[in-house]
Short mmCIF file of all heavy atoms in Angstrom, two decimals:
data_model
loop_
_atom_site.label_atom_id
_atom_site.label_comp_id
_atom_site.label_asym_id
_atom_site.label_seq_id
_atom_site.Cartn_x
_atom_site.Cartn_y
_atom_site.Cartn_z
N PRO A 65 -182.04 -18.89 74.03
CA PRO A 65 -180.65 -18.51 74.07
C PRO A 65 -180.47 -17.01 74.12
O PRO A 65 -181.21 -16.22 73.51
CB PRO A 65 -180.08 -19.10 72.77
CG PRO A 65 -181.30 -19.17 71.82
CD PRO A 65 -182.44 -19.49 72.71
N ALA A 66 -179.54 -16.56 74.87
CA ALA A 66 -179.14 -15.18 74.98
C ALA A 66 -178.63 -14.58 73.67
O ALA A 66 -177.96 -15.21 72.91
CB ALA A 66 -178.13 -14.97 76.03
N LYS A 67 -179.25 -13.44 73.43
CA LYS A 67 -178.83 -12.78 72.12
C LYS A 67 -177.49 -12.05 72.27
O LYS A 67 -177.20 -11.49 73.29
CB LYS A 67 -179.83 -11.72 71.72
CG LYS A 67 -181.19 -12.42 71.42
CD LYS A 67 -182.18 -11.31 70.98
CE LYS A 67 -183.59 -11.90 70.59
NZ LYS A 67 -184.45 -10.85 70.21
N PRO A 68 -176.62 -12.20 71.31
CA PRO A 68 -175.35 -11.55 71.42
C PRO A 68 -175.50 -10.02 71.47
O PRO A 68 -176.47 -9.49 70.93
CB PRO A 68 -174.57 -11.99 70.22
CG PRO A 68 -175.65 -12.46 69.25
CD PRO A 68 -176.76 -12.93 70.06
N GLY A 69 -174.63 -9.36 72.12
CA GLY A 69 -174.67 -7.84 72.15
C GLY A 69 -174.44 -7.22 70.80
O GLY A 69 -174.16 -7.93 69.79
N PRO A 70 -174.60 -5.98 70.75
CA PRO A 70 -174.48 -5.21 69.43
C PRO A 70 -173.07 -5.48 68.84
O PRO A 70 -172.96 -5.53 67.59
CB PRO A 70 -174.56 -3.75 69.85
CG PRO A 70 -175.26 -3.80 71.16
CD PRO A 70 -174.88 -5.04 71.81
N SER A 71 -172.05 -5.68 69.70
CA SER A 71 -170.72 -5.89 69.08
C SER A 71 -170.45 -7.28 68.73
O SER A 71 -169.35 -7.72 68.26
CB SER A 71 -169.66 -5.27 70.02
OG SER A 71 -169.78 -5.96 71.26
N GLY A 72 -171.34 -8.24 69.12
CA GLY A 72 -171.17 -9.67 68.92
C GLY A 72 -170.12 -10.21 69.82
O GLY A 72 -169.70 -9.59 70.86
N PRO A 73 -169.73 -11.47 69.66
CA PRO A 73 -168.76 -12.09 70.55
C PRO A 73 -167.37 -11.38 70.52
O PRO A 73 -167.02 -10.81 69.52
CB PRO A 73 -168.64 -13.54 70.03
CG PRO A 73 -169.07 -13.42 68.60
CD PRO A 73 -170.15 -12.37 68.52
N ALA A 74 -166.77 -11.33 71.67
CA ALA A 74 -165.47 -10.65 71.80
C ALA A 74 -164.42 -11.30 70.88
O ALA A 74 -164.30 -12.48 70.87
CB ALA A 74 -165.00 -10.71 73.29
N ALA A 75 -163.75 -10.50 70.22
CA ALA A 75 -162.72 -10.94 69.40
C ALA A 75 -161.46 -11.31 70.21
O ALA A 75 -161.20 -10.66 71.15
CB ALA A 75 -162.38 -9.93 68.22
N PRO A 76 -160.75 -12.40 69.86
CA PRO A 76 -159.63 -12.75 70.56
C PRO A 76 -158.53 -11.69 70.43
O PRO A 76 -158.44 -11.02 69.44
CB PRO A 76 -159.13 -14.12 69.95
CG PRO A 76 -159.75 -14.06 68.59
CD PRO A 76 -161.05 -13.31 68.71
N ALA A 77 -157.68 -11.59 71.50
CA ALA A 77 -156.63 -10.52 71.49
C ALA A 77 -155.65 -10.81 70.38
O ALA A 77 -155.34 -11.99 70.17
CB ALA A 77 -155.98 -10.45 72.89
N ALA A 78 -155.25 -9.80 69.75
CA ALA A 78 -154.31 -9.98 68.66
C ALA A 78 -152.95 -10.46 69.15
O ALA A 78 -152.25 -11.27 68.52
CB ALA A 78 -154.13 -8.74 67.81
N THR A 79 -152.54 -9.86 70.34
CA THR A 79 -151.22 -10.22 70.78
C THR A 79 -151.35 -10.59 72.40
O THR A 79 -152.27 -10.10 73.00
CB THR A 79 -150.20 -9.08 70.69
OG1 THR A 79 -150.77 -7.93 71.30
CG2 THR A 79 -150.00 -8.76 69.22
N ALA A 80 -150.48 -11.30 72.88
CA ALA A 80 -150.49 -11.69 74.28
C ALA A 80 -150.16 -10.49 75.11
O ALA A 80 -149.40 -9.58 74.66
CB ALA A 80 -149.44 -12.78 74.51
N ALA A 81 -150.65 -10.45 76.31
CA ALA A 81 -150.38 -9.35 77.22
C ALA A 81 -148.95 -9.22 77.59
O ALA A 81 -148.24 -10.22 77.76
CB ALA A 81 -151.20 -9.51 78.48
N THR A 82 -148.36 -8.04 77.66
CA THR A 82 -147.02 -7.78 77.98
C THR A 82 -146.86 -8.01 79.50
O THR A 82 -147.55 -7.39 80.25
CB THR A 82 -146.55 -6.43 77.49
OG1 THR A 82 -146.71 -6.33 76.15
CG2 THR A 82 -145.04 -6.29 77.89
N PRO A 83 -145.87 -8.84 79.89
CA PRO A 83 -145.71 -9.00 81.42
C PRO A 83 -145.12 -7.79 82.02
O PRO A 83 -144.40 -7.00 81.47
CB PRO A 83 -144.72 -10.21 81.45
CG PRO A 83 -143.92 -10.11 80.18
CD PRO A 83 -144.91 -9.65 79.12
N GLN A 84 -145.53 -7.54 83.27
CA GLN A 84 -144.98 -6.44 84.03
C GLN A 84 -143.54 -6.84 84.47
O GLN A 84 -143.22 -8.00 84.79
CB GLN A 84 -145.83 -6.24 85.29
CG GLN A 84 -145.40 -5.10 86.25
CD GLN A 84 -146.20 -5.01 87.52
OE1 GLN A 84 -147.12 -5.73 87.65
NE2 GLN A 84 -145.86 -4.11 88.34
N ILE A 85 -142.71 -5.74 84.53
CA ILE A 85 -141.29 -6.00 84.88
C ILE A 85 -140.97 -5.24 86.16
O ILE A 85 -141.29 -4.14 86.34
CB ILE A 85 -140.35 -5.46 83.71
CG1 ILE A 85 -140.64 -6.26 82.43
CG2 ILE A 85 -138.84 -5.64 84.10
CD1 ILE A 85 -139.88 -5.72 81.21
N GLN A 86 -140.40 -5.98 87.12
CA GLN A 86 -139.90 -5.35 88.38
C GLN A 86 -138.44 -5.59 88.49
O GLN A 86 -137.89 -6.62 88.17
CB GLN A 86 -140.64 -6.04 89.53
CG GLN A 86 -142.12 -5.76 89.64
CD GLN A 86 -142.74 -6.35 90.81
OE1 GLN A 86 -142.08 -6.95 91.66
NE2 GLN A 86 -144.11 -6.18 90.99
N LEU A 87 -137.78 -4.61 89.06
CA LEU A 87 -136.33 -4.61 89.16
C LEU A 87 -135.91 -4.66 90.66
O LEU A 87 -136.36 -3.82 91.42
CB LEU A 87 -135.71 -3.46 88.48
CG LEU A 87 -134.18 -3.25 88.60
CD1 LEU A 87 -133.37 -4.44 88.04
CD2 LEU A 87 -133.71 -1.95 87.94
N ILE A 88 -135.08 -5.66 90.97
CA ILE A 88 -134.52 -5.74 92.41
C ILE A 88 -133.07 -5.53 92.25
O ILE A 88 -132.32 -6.34 91.73
CB ILE A 88 -134.93 -7.03 93.06
CG1 ILE A 88 -136.39 -7.24 93.17
CG2 ILE A 88 -134.26 -7.13 94.40
CD1 ILE A 88 -136.74 -8.60 93.78
N PRO A 89 -132.55 -4.31 92.84
CA PRO A 89 -131.13 -4.07 92.76
C PRO A 89 -130.32 -5.16 93.50
O PRO A 89 -130.64 -5.50 94.57
CB PRO A 89 -130.91 -2.75 93.41
CG PRO A 89 -132.31 -2.03 93.30
CD PRO A 89 -133.28 -3.22 93.44
N ALA A 90 -129.30 -5.66 92.83
CA ALA A 90 -128.43 -6.66 93.52
C ALA A 90 -127.10 -6.75 92.71
O ALA A 90 -127.09 -6.52 91.50
CB ALA A 90 -129.08 -8.01 93.52
N SER A 91 -126.02 -7.13 93.42
CA SER A 91 -124.74 -7.31 92.68
C SER A 91 -124.81 -8.63 91.98
O SER A 91 -125.69 -9.49 92.26
CB SER A 91 -123.56 -7.28 93.67
OG SER A 91 -123.74 -8.31 94.60
N ALA A 92 -123.86 -8.96 91.15
CA ALA A 92 -123.78 -10.22 90.48
C ALA A 92 -123.63 -11.36 91.49
O ALA A 92 -124.18 -12.43 91.32
CB ALA A 92 -122.59 -10.22 89.47
N GLU A 93 -122.85 -11.07 92.58
CA GLU A 93 -122.67 -12.12 93.57
C GLU A 93 -123.92 -12.29 94.49
O GLU A 93 -124.16 -13.42 94.90
CB GLU A 93 -121.52 -11.73 94.49
CG GLU A 93 -120.11 -11.68 93.85
CD GLU A 93 -119.94 -10.44 93.02
OE1 GLU A 93 -120.75 -9.53 93.13
OE2 GLU A 93 -119.03 -10.47 92.17
N GLY A 94 -124.72 -11.25 94.58
CA GLY A 94 -125.97 -11.34 95.46
C GLY A 94 -127.22 -11.54 94.69
O GLY A 94 -128.35 -11.61 95.31
N ALA A 95 -127.19 -11.78 93.35
CA ALA A 95 -128.33 -11.94 92.52
C ALA A 95 -129.12 -13.19 92.90
O ALA A 95 -130.32 -13.21 92.89
CB ALA A 95 -127.91 -11.93 91.12
N LEU A 96 -128.38 -14.36 93.13
CA LEU A 96 -129.09 -15.53 93.53
C LEU A 96 -129.88 -15.39 94.82
O LEU A 96 -130.95 -15.80 94.93
CB LEU A 96 -128.02 -16.69 93.56
CG LEU A 96 -127.51 -17.20 92.32
CD1 LEU A 96 -126.50 -18.34 92.56
CD2 LEU A 96 -128.70 -17.82 91.43
N ASP A 97 -129.27 -14.76 95.75
CA ASP A 97 -129.94 -14.50 97.11
C ASP A 97 -131.12 -13.67 96.98
O ASP A 97 -132.17 -13.91 97.48
CB ASP A 97 -128.96 -13.99 98.10
CG ASP A 97 -127.86 -14.90 98.54
OD1 ASP A 97 -128.09 -16.13 98.38
OD2 ASP A 97 -126.80 -14.50 99.05
N ALA A 98 -131.00 -12.61 96.11
CA ALA A 98 -132.15 -11.71 95.87
C ALA A 98 -133.26 -12.44 95.13
O ALA A 98 -134.39 -12.25 95.41
CB ALA A 98 -131.61 -10.52 95.02
N ALA A 99 -132.88 -13.32 94.21
CA ALA A 99 -133.89 -14.15 93.52
C ALA A 99 -134.64 -15.05 94.44
O ALA A 99 -135.83 -15.24 94.37
CB ALA A 99 -133.28 -14.98 92.35
N GLU A 100 -133.86 -15.63 95.38
CA GLU A 100 -134.50 -16.57 96.33
C GLU A 100 -135.48 -15.81 97.33
O GLU A 100 -136.55 -16.32 97.59
CB GLU A 100 -133.45 -17.21 97.29
CG GLU A 100 -132.76 -18.34 96.55
CD GLU A 100 -133.64 -19.53 96.24
OE1 GLU A 100 -134.37 -20.02 97.09
OE2 GLU A 100 -133.72 -19.86 95.01
N GLU A 101 -135.12 -14.60 97.68
CA GLU A 101 -136.03 -13.82 98.51
C GLU A 101 -137.22 -13.44 97.74
O GLU A 101 -138.32 -13.33 98.26
CB GLU A 101 -135.24 -12.54 98.93
CG GLU A 101 -134.18 -12.76 99.95
CD GLU A 101 -133.48 -11.46 100.34
OE1 GLU A 101 -133.94 -10.37 99.98
OE2 GLU A 101 -132.45 -11.56 101.18
#
Side-chain angles (χ1 to χ4, degrees):
K67 295 181 179 181
S71 59
T79 57
T82 303
Q84 180 184 358
I85 300 176
Q86 292 183 2
L87 174 61
I88 298 178
S91 62
E93 294 77 15
L96 284 177
D97 291 337
E100 282 299 305
E101 291 180 5

